[in-house]
Amino acid sequence: MNIGIVCYPTFGGSGVVATELGIALAKKGHKIHFITYSQPFRLDHFTENIFYHEVSVNDYPLFDYQPYESALSSKMVDVARYEKLDLLHVHYAIPHAAAAYLAQQILKHEGIDIPYITTLHGTDITLVGRDPSFESVIRFSLNHSDAITSVSQSLKDDTLAQFHIEKDIHVIPNFINIKEYTTAKPLCHRNHYAAPNERVMVHVSNFRKVKRVEDVLRVFDIVRKTVPSKLILVGDGPERSNIEKLCRQLNTCNDIISLGKIANPRDILAVGDLFILPSETESFGLAALEAMAMKMPVISTNTGGLPELNIHGKSGFLSNVGDYEDMAKNAIHILKDDHTLKQFKKQAFEQAKTFDLEVILPKYESIYEHVVSRMAATT
Ligand code: GMT
């Protein structure tokens, strides 16, 4: 198939899922056209069957806000028309689903019928989507999607509770290519970060408020008093300076290594013992899945889709949002002796395997086939 993928190219789970999906589909022989305003950050190497189309918005002084959505729709029309796309797959509802609807209508006038699929990733519904100023556009563009997918049952439930959706929403979880995780030779050496007697805790995020990175520091502060440990922080974002302030207040900075943004943190995850994700809300938690694929158990909150990924007492533990004392207690339980840690590492990996690309990719392909054949039958 000839597939157009629209996503946010910057650091963030939805862009990662869209890019990895495109790469995996291209390897299976599909032709993938990424349509974004800059090169997706994980699309950093040449892959046959992948094409990149940049959406550029000229800066006109007339506008306070440049009309990105119109430029995106025009680019989708262009790519669909000349590359003969079979379908458009847009990741993140705002503004991609509305832009896809507009592109679809323009193409229809030219006698070209093309379906669009919208994948919901979370904050497009749980945070941004709660803003009433977006309500009618989200509802309309979802109801006119030829198919809707959501990355967890929890996000599906949230979407149905918040918007009047007349379509079925297919749950297709985030995925990882387990082979890449098991065969990779990590570039990073554990002894560079920690002494042999120390454990290594890791957190990866975009340091937005919703990630509650301050809880990561509070958990670490309790854990290191019982279990000698180091904490590696990967990522950057609006909360980073507050986090730096807090580490000075807690006097933990010497045991914390802040690495900033890393496009693919697999090498760092390879040296970790325990991953921590204390988010306020998390529709799935791709960062935690990537950690589990590197055999790291996960301490997370029990919010959103996290309980669908992290199984309490098996791949790690779940706690209420903000209950950093409970998270620390669970972390100590996992880290305190080698035998328990080994057991949890094994169980986390087993759980990650259930989200392998080979299991998840056919679910997207079957939706693609369904919408394309339905459209062919109705035109
Ligand atoms: O987590 C973020 O802040 C980035 C966000 C995004 O939109 O890129 O991630 C969302 O989509 C990921 C991929 O489906 C999910 O794994 C994340 O859980 C989800 N983030 C939130 O719901 C906060």
Side-chain angles (χ1 to χ4, degrees), residues 161-208:
Q162 213 169 304
F163 297 97
H164 182 70
I165 301 297
E166 295 144 10
K167 286 238 147 76
D168 191 17
I169 300 180
H170 306 266
V171 175
I172 307 186
N174 288 178
F175 58 88
I176 26 95
N177 184 346
I178 208 87
K179 272 194 217 112
E180 282 178 5
Y181 285 77
T182 42
T183 54
K185 292 220 175 345
L187 299 169
C188 172
H189 300 287
R190 187 191 164 92
N191 58 11
H192 187 73
Y193 296 107
N197 67 323
E198 286 177 322
R199 303 292 195 204
V200 177
M201 290 171 66
V202 181
H203 170 77
V204 180
S205 78
N206 50 20
F207 283 55
R208 288 190 292 151

Side-chain angles (χ1 to χ4, degrees), residues 11-15 17 92 120-123 126-127 151 174 206 208 210-211 281-287:
F11 283 73
S14 61
V17 169
Y92 211 85
L120 304 173
H121 282 275
T123 46
T126 54
L127 289 179
V151 299
N174 288 178
N206 50 20
R208 288 190 292 151
V210 67
K211 301 293 173 181
T281 160
E282 199 69 65
S283 67
F284 183 85
L286 179 62

